[in-house]
Amino acid sequence: MMEKDMQKTENVSATERIRNVKTFVPRVDIYENKDSLFLLADMPGVDEKSVDIELEKNVLTITGRVEDGRMKDATMMYSEYEIGDYERVFTLSEEIDHNKIVATVKNGVLRLELPKAEKVKPKKIAIKAA
Amino acid sequence: MFNPSLWRVRRFSDTLPEMLQLQREMNRLFSNVGQKSPQDYPAVNIWEKDGNAVITAELPGIDPEKMDISVLGDTVTLSGMALQETFTQGETYLRQERGIGSFKRNIQLPFQVNAQAVEARYEKGILMITLPRNKEDLPKKIKVQ
């Protein structure tokens, strides 16, 4: 494993923010079957209330807000990771049915199910005998 | 100004051991590039609170049942397995960045840990372990007679 894979990646291209926190790029897995697209994103510190998913045309934006990671009455002795918000933007190649998107968050992992729109689903074409 | 005065020459030689040291440090830094291994996962932050150590680690998507935390003396061992997605037929990966598989990490603390009183919590993908100090290891107050 390379170092860059072990550490969180800071989001450099993210738009300037009002909140003075760092943003990170969550690591994702994307897979598909013939009906939908699935997306899994590692966003530790995020729960269902603090995650925001937006789909406009074919641009999917995931944002996650993380509370201040500082611990009360505690002094930091050693630090290997930083805490910050998450943001990542994807351009989808296929049409997605906006009304049927299902999102769940469990143990800091966001799971998105993006069903493909009816018209882009592969269709079997029956061949008629000439 | 451009003449190398004796004073300058001496100053340079004074810094030489330091420069060699720096060079050695740089070599060490770059020779380790790309050698981070799963032994360095997860990344941890360590805090001190009321004399206890608190370790926090970002471990998204892990079954808490399959996480193993053990304490021996002054060393804490974190090990576990990241949840794996099972695929049915007809599913294909488009992008894969996640997934560390199994991990194991040892962290040495500057004191002996009271293993009986260790508490661990796993919430929103963040693991938090509170490690109290062993009683025998606490600093003792000595009264002056």
Side-chain angles (χ1 to χ4, degrees):
Chain A
M1 271 263 176
M2 297 284 280
E3 182 167 13
K4 71 175 171 54
D5 297 328
M6 309 292 305
Q7 304 295 337
K8 288 205 277 187
T9 323
E10 202 182 334
N11 202 343
V12 201
S13 59
T15 41
E16 291 267 356
R17 310 190 123 220
I18 293 164
R19 239 151 75 87
N20 187 20
V21 287
K22 282 196 175 175
T23 50
F24 294 96
V25 185
R27 253 176 272 152
V28 298
D29 280 357
I30 303 173
Y31 58 96
E32 67 167 349
N33 60 19
K34 65 183 199 315
D35 298 320
S36 353
L37 216 65
F38 300 90
L39 187 147
L40 296 160
D42 277 350
M43 297 162 95
V46 159
D47 61 14
E48 61 279 2
K49 282 171 240 132
S50 55
V51 73
D52 201 32
I53 302 136
E54 212 181 274
L55 181 62
E56 204 188 330
K57 289 215 169 136
N58 273 342
V59 179
L60 175 76
T61 311
I62 303 165
T63 42
R65 257 168 167 262
V66 179
E67 283 164 44
D68 188 10
R70 265 171 291 183
M71 218 180 287
K72 263 191 188 169
D73 320 312
T75 341
M76 182 170 267
M77 307 301 281
Y78 175 73
S79 171
E80 285 180 346
Y81 70 89
E82 289 178 282
I83 293 153
D85 290 355
Y86 297 98
E87 186 176 321
R88 194 155 178 182
V89 182
F90 295 97
T91 309
L92 304 170
S93 57
E94 284 170 288
E95 290 273 340
I96 298 295
D97 196 333
H98 290 216
N99 302 320
K100 287 186 191 153
I101 296 172
V102 185
T104 47
V105 181
K106 199 190 168 196
N107 290 343
V109 178
L110 170 74
R111 188 176 193 277
L112 269 180
E113 190 184 337
L114 306 147
K116 291 178 191 171
E118 213 48 59
K119 61 177 175 187
V120 293
K121 274 190 197 169
K123 275 186 201 93
K124 253 218 167 124
I125 294 153
I127 301 162
K128 285 178 202 157
Chain B
M1 191 187 169
F2 295 101
N3 294 336
S5 65
L6 270 174
W7 176 79
R8 278 198 168 204
V9 171
R10 214 187 67 210
R11 273 289 286 260
F12 176 74
S13 67
D14 278 351
T15 56
L16 203 65
E18 229 164 281
M19 283 169 74
L20 286 173
Q21 171 73 20
L22 187 69
Q23 188 187 29
R24 231 174 293 136
E25 288 276 304
M26 288 303 247
N27 285 345
R28 193 177 57 83
L29 184 73
F30 286 111
S31 65
N32 284 341
V33 163
Q35 285 192 358
K36 283 242 171 183
S37 60
Q39 267 115 41
D40 297 312
Y41 185 89
V44 294
N45 281 354
I46 304 177
W47 311 72
E48 198 242 298
K49 191 180 182 181
D50 311 323
N52 300 338
V54 182
I55 298 178
T56 56
E58 291 191 328
L59 279 163
I62 291 198
D63 187 352
E65 303 271 299
K66 285 187 188 142
M67 198 149 40
D68 198 36
I69 302 159
S70 58
V71 177
L72 182 72
D74 60 353
T75 309
V76 188
T77 308
L78 303 178
S79 59
M81 186 85 178
L83 276 189
Q84 243 129 25
E85 290 289 315
T86 43
F87 283 96
T88 48
Q89 237 190 344
E91 287 180 333
T92 39
Y93 258 121
L94 301 174
R95 187 184 271 262
Q96 190 177 22
E97 298 167 357
R98 297 168 67 242
I100 177 94
S102 66
F103 61 89
K104 186 171 183 174
R105 184 159 184 189
N106 294 313
I107 300 154
Q108 196 180 11
L109 294 167
F111 56 81
Q112 299 288 315
V113 177
N114 181 1
Q116 258 78 47
V118 173
E119 276 173 52
R121 263 189 19 221
Y122 184 63
E123 225 173 78
K124 295 194 239 171
I126 295 174
L127 176 72
M128 188 196 269
I129 316 166
T130 312
L131 302 139
R133 222 163 146 154
N134 216 347
K135 272 228 175 91
E136 288 91 68
D137 210 37
L138 278 173
K140 284 184 189 79
K141 253 195 184 157
I142 292 151
K143 260 193 185 162
V144 181
Q145 308 264 312

